Amino acid sequence: MAVVLAAVAFLMTLTGGFVAMRVRDRRHLVLGLAGGLILGIAAFDLVPESLETYPSGPLGVPAPMIGFAAGFLLLHVIEQAAAIHRAHEGEYAPHEHRHAAAPGKGGRAGLLTAGALVGHSFIDGLSIGLGFQAGTEVGVFVALAVIAHDFADGFNTFTAASLHRADRRPAIVLLFADALAPIAGALATLLFSVPKPVLGTYLGFFAGVLLYLAASEILPEAHSRHPRVLTLCVTLAGVLAVLVIIGVAG
């Protein structure tokens, strides 16, 4: 049953990616929406779920929140060490995207974002399988929550992987990897189980990774060349959409 529901998540992820492919002429709006969806997923799904899984930790701080800070800082260190990300301070006055001429650097950050989303989708599959290990009702509830936001995962994966890139083939490959990841995760739980403290800490870590990537790459790119009011509106719409989906699924 867990694998069957993971297959539904596979279809939902592909649907989100194919929608992203069709709206490239409104790239700034796609990026703004993607940033809002990522923020919503981190704030309304990953962090609360991680705290429920592992509410206590060292020094009185929940372990998932330590993972959250570690994920955010790790991505910052990686980008600085690899010179992936160029600072955006100079863009704010003229409202021009000065590093757009160096697609390789921003593109690597986008691929890193998509790779992180694939990892999240694998954890989604693990969550479905572990939910069914706890009971059929729990498993179905977890699966519905995963399916509800996998459209956003597919949308974000394709959008992030195609950032600064004319060649869409890497984005398509990562989209299919993201779609297959929940099935792989569900199958993995047939072989072993993941301790809840480890899963909770990882979810917090992943939320920190997503927040950094949305704030440092996707949203600055969305606002770099276009009028910001409409882009801001679609970003807020993305956040609210996730809030509604999580509320309905809950």
Side-chain angles (χ1 to χ4, degrees):
M1 185 63 174
V3 176
V4 172
L5 290 174
V8 177
F10 167 87
L11 296 175
M12 187 64 74
T13 301
L14 288 183
T15 300
F18 291 148
V19 169
M21 292 181 197
R22 303 290 295 180
V23 292
R24 291 177 65 85
D25 58 330
R26 295 291 184 266
R27 190 174 183 80
H28 62 292
L29 297 180
V30 173
L31 291 172
L33 179 62
L37 292 171
I38 287 177
L39 176 58
I41 289 170
F44 305 139
D45 182 23
L46 294 180
V47 171
E49 183 178 342
S50 68
L51 291 174
E52 290 179 5
T53 304
Y54 194 169
S56 61
L59 302 176
V61 178
M65 299 313 297
I66 295 176
F68 179 90
F72 190 97
L73 291 173
L74 177 63
L75 262 292
H76 179 66
V77 170
I78 289 175
E79 285 203 338
Q80 293 301 316
I84 292 175
H85 179 64
R86 295 288 184 87
H88 293 268
E89 288 85 353
E91 298 169 3
Y92 297 137
H95 301 295
E96 294 179 357
H97 200 64
R98 297 181 184 275
H99 72 269
K105 296 179 179 179
R108 282 179 288 173
L111 293 178
L112 183 61
T113 306
L117 287 166
V118 173
H120 167 56
S121 293
F122 180 78
I123 293 297
D124 280 345
L126 285 177
S127 299
I128 293 174
L130 294 175
F132 275 98
Q133 289 182 13
T136 301
E137 183 177 347
V138 176
V140 170
F141 176 80
V142 172
L144 288 175
V146 169
I147 292 169
H149 73 250
D150 268 355
F151 177 88
D153 283 352
F155 189 98
N156 290 336
T157 297
F158 182 85
T159 300
S162 60
L163 190 67
H164 300 296
R165 288 179 177 272
D167 184 3
R168 299 197 301 178
R169 286 175 295 181
I172 293 173
V173 170
L174 282 165
L175 173 62
F176 274 91
D178 187 46
L180 289 169
I183 298 177
L187 288 172
T189 60
L190 301 178
L191 304 175
F192 60 89
S193 60
V194 177
K196 288 185 178 181
V198 174
L199 179 60
T201 302
Y202 171 80
L203 290 175
F205 174 87
F206 178 68
V209 169
L210 280 187
L211 182 61
Y212 182 84
L213 291 170
S216 68
E217 291 294 333
I218 294 179
L219 290 177
E221 176 71 11
H223 290 274
S224 62
R225 290 184 176 180
H226 300 276
R228 302 188 177 195
V229 174
L230 184 56
T231 309
L232 179 59
C233 287
V234 296
T235 299
L236 292 175
V239 174
L240 292 175
V242 175
L243 179 60
V244 170
I245 290 171
I246 296 299
V248 171

